[in-house]
Structure formats: C-alpha cells, structure tokens
C-alpha cells in the first residue's frame, strides 16, 4: 500500500465513522426502556407560567416530589350508590356484524359496536369491565366524558391494563349531556380498529319533548364503512313530521363527511350544544376522527324518508318502507367558525395563565430504534415530548399548528376546549367546544380551556395509527404523580 492509498483508506474510514457513529448514537438513544414512567418522558413545558419549587429544567421526573397526589386518589367519591350499572365483557375473536359479515376483531358483550351506555346528566355510572380473553389486556376510556383522572382508562397512566380473566370497575358521574363513546386505550390502534368500542348517550335532566333519537356509529371493519355494524343504509322508523336527532360517532381514524337529503341543523358537536343553530342546506358537516355531531332533521310530511349519509353508509329515517331520495355528497362543508350565534363561555378567554405551542411536523429520525420519517411535536420525536404542566384553575391557551402534510384529529383527555381563532380569524358563531379537533395541514388554531380536572391527561392524535407512531403528549397538573408504567415489562401500551 502506498502512502497515498493509506491516506485514502483512512479518509474513507473517518468519513464512514462520521456518518455511522452519530446514527448509531441516535439509534441507541431512541430505544425505549422496557419500563418507564410517563412522568420521566420528555421535558417540562410550563407555558410561560409558574414553575413548581425546585423544578429542574431537564427532567419532568423531578416533579414526582414526595407529598404529590397520585392519580389513583383523583377519583369519584366512594359511598354513593350507582344510578346506572353496566356490565361489559370484552372478547377477542370472530365478530358477527349486523350486515352478516364475520371478521376477526373484538366484541363487547358479544357485539361490535358494543351496547350503548345511556344515562342522565348527574347520574353516577358504574361500569364493571371484564376482560374474558383479550391477550394483550384492555383498558376502557370514556371518550369526551370529562371523568376524574383515576377513571380515564389509559393503560400505563391511570391504571394497569386489565389482563385476561380480570376485571376493573369504573365509576363516574355523567358531567355533561351529549354524545360520547367508549373504547379501549390499551393497544388502541389495534383494538379500536378491531371493534372494542361502543356509544355513550348522556341525556339532559330535562330532555326536549317531541324529539326522537337515532344513533349512527361509524366504523370501518376490514376497511369497509359501516354504521351500527352494517354496510348500506339502516332503516329507522319515524312518523311523517317527526323531528329526529341523529347522534353520530366517528370511531374511525380519518375524518368523515356527514350530510342529509333534507336541510338539517347541527344541534351539537362533541357533546356540546350549538347556540342557536340555523338550518343548513347543501353542505356536509365533517366529523373528525373520535368526534361526534348531533344533526336534527324533520321527516317530510309526504311519507318519504330522510337519508342520513356518512360516506356510503348511514340511516334512512321515515315511515316503514319509506324510500329516501338519493343524496349526493355536497361539495361544501359547514364551517363551525361561523355557525350559530355567539354566547358567553364560563371563563375569561382573554386572560391566559399558560400559553402552549403544539406544533405538528415531520422529520427523519429514530423512534425506539426504528428509523423513519416520524411525526414531531415542537420539533421533537417521541418520547422526547413536552410535558405541558399546569396548576388547577389556570386558563390555558394552546396554539395547535400543523405543517406535517396530513390532517390530525387532536384529542385532549379530561377537558373540553373552545376554539378562539383559526389562522388568525376569530370565531364569529356559537362557541365552538371540542374534544376532538381536526387540524388540517397548514392550519393553526388558537384554543382555550380551564385546567379544572387535576391529573395526568393524554393529549394525542386520534388517528390511532399516528398515536402509535408517537403523536402523544401529556397535560400534567403540578404535583400529580402516577404509580403506573409504560413499556413492554409493564404490559401497558396505551397506543
Ligand atoms: Cu395524526
């Protein structure tokens, strides 16, 4: 080897190492421990507000100071008798759908969707959940119901996954009338897709008289759109002239347009009534993944029906045998920024105690040793996520922006937030309350909520595939700790 050859080899080796060593370091560093606490995840973000005494910049974990409140203590008071008692048994295996198909998935009490949980606002709901044979374990989350933290049903954060043959009892007081749903929050990207879910209807204390109700639970089984477990249009008997409130739940990972063959009013979204909703004609309403809308329609007097479409499936409301006219999808969407009329919200949205940024992007890197082009939050990859830290009573502003190339349905547990602006334009209609908000690529929402439910709460993408790819952060109340752990050793995998 000449001197020149030796130099060449040396240069090649140095260049290779300069590439391989940092990559190897990134790979090594990205591997998730077999067991870890959500409190040690990422870095604290105080949103410009007060820091706890002795808080350390690098470690959110420093905050599990002695004397903290465990999530297990943030519970529904004991002693009160339940008003509504429900037994749910989850199974894994064949699912016989209402449309006659049989698929591999999950059932609740033998069906999917599972039974509807119905209660009245203020009632204590007690749900005994049994895992018959779901090998990966289960946990049940009450999507959109702002329950106490101990009842939130997130494996590894608020409880351990319920193992096969085991049970868990959930108790919560129905805090708000509206349309909600329950689903597994253990291996949720697989178990929810497979059908481990069902609807929840909370009626107001004084229901409106003369309004019939119908449920439309949208789900994709094996990639096929269904409503209430069947493809096509399910007939729902309703007399001519009857007002019908259709409660639609989107349990899929993507947004779903919904429209009707007659004009409708959007009575509610995400369980909150729209203030003074006007009649809508020629526009569809988009239900975000995880989101719900209540549409009110009136069955025509001429004996024909109303077609309620969620894509290629839906309901036909009308007298027995009623035909409903074909109803092509409108090209325009209803914009909730300008729908209904303004009214008070119960807190001052002008004053913020904390301001958080939730900027959704995409970048190359490693997550748990896997190279990829991953979702990022504020430029970071999972698990190096912001731990948004608040105190009880804070008014919180959050700017959620998306420059990742895809829509993300953002879901904060335990709270409802109100939209202030989208792309700088303020809400001019009814207060727009949500728990599941579609943020389109290029959009930026400013939202506000009151930190009024202490705990450790997931704030994640409800495209559950994205969540499983690391689109998961948490909102943490100062001084709250969890004894539960995530990771393969713990058996808890909430996403
Ligand atoms: Cu997403």
């Amino acid at each position: 080897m000449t001197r020149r050859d030796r130099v060449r080899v040396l240069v090649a080796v140095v260049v290779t190492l300069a590439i391989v060593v940092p990559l190897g370091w990134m790979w090594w560093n990205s591997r998730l421990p077999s067991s870890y606490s959500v409190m040690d995840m990422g870095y604290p973000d105080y949103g410009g507000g007060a820091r706890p005494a002795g808080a350390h910049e690098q470690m959110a974990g420093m905050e599990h100071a002695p004397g903290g409140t465990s999530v297990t203590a943030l519970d529904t008071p004991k002693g009160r008798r339940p008003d509504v008692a429900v037994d749910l048994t989850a199974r894994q295996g064949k699912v016989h759908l209402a449309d006659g198909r049989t698929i591999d998935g999950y059932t609740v009490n033998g069906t999917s969707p599972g039974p509807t949980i119905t209660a009245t606002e203020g009632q204590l709901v007690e749900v005994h959940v049994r895992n018959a044979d779901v090998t990966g374990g289960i946990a049940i989350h009450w999507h959109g119901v702002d329950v106490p933290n101990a009842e939130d049903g997130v494996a590894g954060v608020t409880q351990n996954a319920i193992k096969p043959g085991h049970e868990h009892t959930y108790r919560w007081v129905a805090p708000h009338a509206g349309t909600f749903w329950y689903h597994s929050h253990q291996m949720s990207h697989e178990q929810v897709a497979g059908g481990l879910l069902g609807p929840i209807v909370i009626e107001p204390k004084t229901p409106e008289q003369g309004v019939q109700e119908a449920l439309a639970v949208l789900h994709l089984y094996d990639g096929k759109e269904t409503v209430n477990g069947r493809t096509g249009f399910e007939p729902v008997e309703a007399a001519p002239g009857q007002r019908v409130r259709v409660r639609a739940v989107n349990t899929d990972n993507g947004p779903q347009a919904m429209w009707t063959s007659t004009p409708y009013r959007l009575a509610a979204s995400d369980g909150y009534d729209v203030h003074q909703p006007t009649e809508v004609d020629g526009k569809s309403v988009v239900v975000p993944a995880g989101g719900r809308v209540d549409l009110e329609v009136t069955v025509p007097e001429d004996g024909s029906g109303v077609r309620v479409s969620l894509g290629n499936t839906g309901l036909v409301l009308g007298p027995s045998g009623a035909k409903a006219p074909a109803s092509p999808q409108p090209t325009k969407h209803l914009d909730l920024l300008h729908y209904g009329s303004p009214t008070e919200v119960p807190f001052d949205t002008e004053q913020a105690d904390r301001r958080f940024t939730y900027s959704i992007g995409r970048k190359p890197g490693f997550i748990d040793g896997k190279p990829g082009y991953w979702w990022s939050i504020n430029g970071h990859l999972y698990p190096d996520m912001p731990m948004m830290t608040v105190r009880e009573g804070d008014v919180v502003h959050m700017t959620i922006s998306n420059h990742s190339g895809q829509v993300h349905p953002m879901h904060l547990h335990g709270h409802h937030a109100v939209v202030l602006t989208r792309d700088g334009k303020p809400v001019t209609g009814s207060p727009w309350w949500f728990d599941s908000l579609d943020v389109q690529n290029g959009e930026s929402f400013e939202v506000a909520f009151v930190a009024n439910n202490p705990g450790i709460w997931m704030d994640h993408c409800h495209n559950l595939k994205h969540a499983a790819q690391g689109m998961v952060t948490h909102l943490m109340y100062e001084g709250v700790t969890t004894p539960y752990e995530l990771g393969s050793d713990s058996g808890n995998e909430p996403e």
Side-chain angles (χ1 to χ4, degrees):
M1 228 186 230
T2 64
R3 187 186 148 82
R4 179 174 278 189
D5 286 342
R6 281 201 298 273
V7 169
R8 273 195 192 141
V9 168
L10 189 65
V11 167
V13 166
V14 167
V15 166
T16 305
L17 287 176
I19 294 166
V20 166
V21 167
L23 277 176
W25 185 82
M26 282 165 70
W27 168 80
W28 179 264
N29 256 314
S30 78
R31 293 172 322 138
L32 293 170
S34 56
S35 191
Y36 61 106
S37 169
V38 70
M39 294 184 298
D40 297 325
M41 238 176 82
Y43 58 95
D45 182 347
Y46 300 105
R51 289 158 185 246
H56 194 281
E57 194 49 54
Q58 301 305 316
M59 284 278 287
M62 285 299 285
E63 281 148 46
H64 28 128
T69 306
S70 169
V71 298
T72 57
L74 298 165
D75 205 356
T76 306
K78 304 265 184 293
R80 181 174 158 188
R81 283 248 193 92
D83 302 294
V84 176
V86 183
D87 291 298
L88 300 181
T89 299
R91 287 181 193 282
Q92 186 168 6
K94 298 286 175 211
V95 184
H96 305 287
L97 297 172
D99 62 18
R101 282 185 296 151
T102 298
I103 62 147
D104 283 317
Y106 302 86
T107 57
V108 184
N109 294 3
T111 66
S112 181
T116 304
I117 296 178
T118 307
T120 298
E121 194 176 7
Q123 284 189 323
L124 177 63
V125 179
E126 186 170 291
V127 191
H128 307 274
V129 173
R130 196 170 85 83
N131 176 3
D133 60 2
V134 180
T135 49
I138 62 168
I140 303 295
H141 171 61
W142 320 97
H143 186 119
V145 185
D146 297 332
V147 299
N149 197 220
E151 305 298 327
D152 198 40
V154 179
V157 180
T158 64
Q159 66 174 93
N160 283 321
I162 311 162
K163 300 229 154 56
H166 289 252
E167 301 182 347
H168 187 96
T169 298
Y170 297 89
R171 283 163 56 87
W172 40 265
V173 175
H176 199 279
T179 310
F180 307 97
W181 62 299
Y182 59 88
H183 64 78
S184 184
H185 227 305
Q186 161 75 354
M187 300 178 175
S188 61
H189 74 288
E190 186 192 314
Q191 294 187 2
V192 178
L196 216 171
L197 57 95
I200 303 173
V201 175
I202 311 289
E203 295 289 352
K205 280 181 184 150
T206 45
E208 201 183 343
Q209 295 302 302
V211 181
Q212 187 180 332
E213 299 206 341
L215 258 174
V217 179
L218 176 93
H219 191 70
L220 267 67
Y221 294 94
D222 272 355
K224 241 189 190 172
E225 285 172 350
T226 64
V227 158
N228 302 334
R230 67 173 76 198
T231 49
F233 286 79
E234 181 182 21
V236 175
E237 206 164 323
Q242 177 67 51
R243 284 165 65 201
V244 183
R245 186 178 184 121
V246 180
R247 298 175 177 273
V249 184
N250 181 1
T251 68
D252 183 36
N253 282 325
Q256 177 62 61
M258 180 180 187
W259 66 96
T260 57
S261 59
T262 57
Y264 65 85
R265 281 171 214 273
L266 174 64
S269 71
D270 280 2
Y272 276 64
D273 283 353
V274 173
H275 187 240
Q276 296 178 342
T278 51
E279 199 158 85
V280 182
D281 201 2
K283 284 180 186 173
S284 60
V285 53
V286 177
V287 197
R292 290 84 58 212
V293 303
D294 296 12
L295 292 193
E296 200 187 291
V297 291
T298 302
V299 177
E301 294 285 359
D302 65 6
S304 66
V306 179
R307 190 176 295 270
V308 179
S309 300
L310 286 129
N312 299 314
T313 177
L315 308 175
V316 169
L317 316 170
S320 180
K323 294 271 180 285
S327 172
Q329 181 174 355
T331 51
K332 287 186 193 151
H333 298 315
L334 183 67
D335 187 355
L336 300 196
L337 205 63
H338 309 298
Y339 183 65
S341 332
T343 186
E344 298 268 292
V345 300
F347 66 97
D348 182 1
T349 57
E350 300 290 314
Q351 306 294 326
D353 300 294
R354 314 261 175 181
R355 291 177 190 276
F356 294 104
T357 298
Y358 200 117
S359 170
I360 305 161
R362 229 174 164 177
K363 69 175 202 179
F366 293 88
I367 291 183
D368 200 13
K370 286 191 274 295
Y373 188 48
W374 299 105
W375 311 113
S376 63
I377 308 293
N378 298 347
H380 297 262
L381 298 184
Y382 188 90
D384 188 24
M385 291 282 153
M387 178 64 92
M388 294 171 285
T389 307
V390 297
R391 276 183 191 165
E392 192 171 358
D394 283 347
V395 172
V396 181
H397 282 199
M398 193 182 286
T399 302
I400 313 170
S401 61
N402 178 4
H403 45 96
S404 70
Q406 287 189 30
V407 61
H408 299 289
M410 299 311 300
H411 176 53
L412 170 63
H413 288 211
H415 302 74
H416 278 76
V418 72
V419 172
L420 302 178
T421 66
R422 184 185 61 216
D423 300 334
K425 294 188 193 73
V427 167
T428 61
S430 167
W432 178 357
W433 292 97
F434 70 92
D435 55 65
S436 308
L437 179 70
D438 266 346
V439 184
Q440 304 286 340
N441 185 45
E443 277 184 346
S444 178
F445 279 90
E446 194 182 3
V447 306
F449 63 92
V450 181
N452 56 5
N453 197 3
I456 301 176
W457 302 99
M458 270 198 164
D459 187 359
H460 67 103
C461 181
H462 221 279
N463 182 328
L464 298 171
K465 291 178 188 164
H466 294 177
Q469 291 159 359
M471 269 197 80
V472 176
T473 65
H474 294 83
L475 175 76
M476 178 156 88
Y477 283 64
E478 195 184 306
V480 176
T481 65
T482 178
Y484 304 110
E485 298 213 308
L486 302 162
S488 50
D489 280 0
S490 68
N492 295 320
E493 286 181 56
E495 293 86 29

